[in-house]
Amino acid sequence: MKIVVFGAAGRTGREVVRQGLERGHEVTAFVRSPYDLESTDERLDVVAGDARDAAAVERALARADGVISVVALMSAEAEPEHSEATKAIVEAAGRAGVRRLVVAANNDVLSDREVTGEFAAHAREHRRNRETLEASDLDWTIGAAPWVTDDPATGTYKTVMDGKGPGRRLGAADFATFALDALERDEWNRHVVGVSA
């Protein structure tokens, strides 16, 4: 499978890239700077650009079978960069004929309850992403995770369809495992899946 990973230079993104290559996939890593990710694997293509740039995103999606976006909002002041990137990815995937898309979120995507304080912007962005996906005709899955940590990989996770995962944390490596698995789980199409340790 040829997979495009957005947010590939981040903690979870690097794990998606690494595990994707281990599984034998061809991986295109979309990063802000070509120096953000280095690899000598011949099945890895590193593409630099802004995920809000429709033309750059569409070029990265050429011949792709699936997309994993682990793009994150870096700070509240950067709102709405995250949702703008998701919108550009969804629209470009539609034009390119790429049907399968997995998007990372936190548990706030599962409800519309008010979130205040430092995480309010993140909640708004994840909910905008959900609205963008729901309005599309793509086969999407949102992986809703609690606190994502640097815990060692276990290779396992627990899921709840359209609800919060049972645990309060999830290692980045295990979230990456979920995201790659989700590309091939048809029963998760067009659902928010709560995932946790």
Side-chain angles (χ1 to χ4, degrees):
M1 183 182 293
K2 183 173 174 56
I3 300 168
V4 181
V5 181
F6 290 90
R11 177 177 56 179
T12 305
R14 288 176 185 272
E15 277 295 325
V16 174
V17 170
R18 184 185 67 76
Q19 292 182 36
L21 293 170
E22 282 183 356
R23 294 187 188 200
H25 298 307
E26 293 180 49
V27 179
T28 297
F30 195 97
V31 296
R32 286 184 182 266
S33 164
Y35 306 106
D36 288 342
L37 191 68
E38 295 180 10
S39 174
T40 57
D41 195 304
E42 62 185 19
R43 289 169 297 124
L44 175 63
D45 185 22
V46 179
V47 175
D50 187 323
R52 297 170 294 168
D53 180 344
V57 171
E58 198 160 344
R59 282 193 301 273
L61 292 177
R63 301 181 298 108
D65 300 306
V67 175
I68 295 175
S69 175
V70 288
V71 172
L73 184 67
M74 301 311 293
S75 68
E77 292 73 28
E79 184 183 8
E81 287 183 6
H82 185 188
S83 57
E84 289 172 349
T86 300
K87 188 172 189 291
I89 293 165
V90 167
E91 291 176 352
R95 289 190 299 272
V98 181
R99 301 283 316 155
R100 194 71 182 100
L101 175 61
V102 177
V103 175
N106 67 23
N107 283 331
D108 290 322
V109 77
L110 287 158
S111 75
D112 292 320
R113 70 173 179 79
E114 183 180 9
V115 176
T116 59
E118 63 179 312
F119 296 111
H122 295 79
R124 289 191 296 268
E125 287 286 76
H126 290 304
R127 291 166 182 172
R128 288 182 189 119
N129 290 344
R130 182 188 68 202
E131 291 170 1
T132 295
L133 290 162
E134 288 175 341
S136 78
D137 64 353
L138 301 181
D139 296 329
W140 53 266
T141 298
I142 296 175
W147 182 33
V148 177
T149 68
D150 289 321
D151 292 348
T154 67
T156 63
Y157 52 83
K158 295 181 180 179
T159 61
V160 175
M161 187 92 78
D162 300 313
K164 288 184 181 180
R168 301 184 69 172
R169 58 195 293 145
L170 180 68
D174 291 334
F175 190 90
T177 300
F178 160 82
L180 287 160
D181 290 348
L183 287 175
E184 302 181 60
R185 295 285 296 269
D186 291 344
E187 69 271 27
W188 289 346
N189 284 358
R190 300 188 69 81
H191 284 280
V192 180
V193 178
V195 55
S196 68

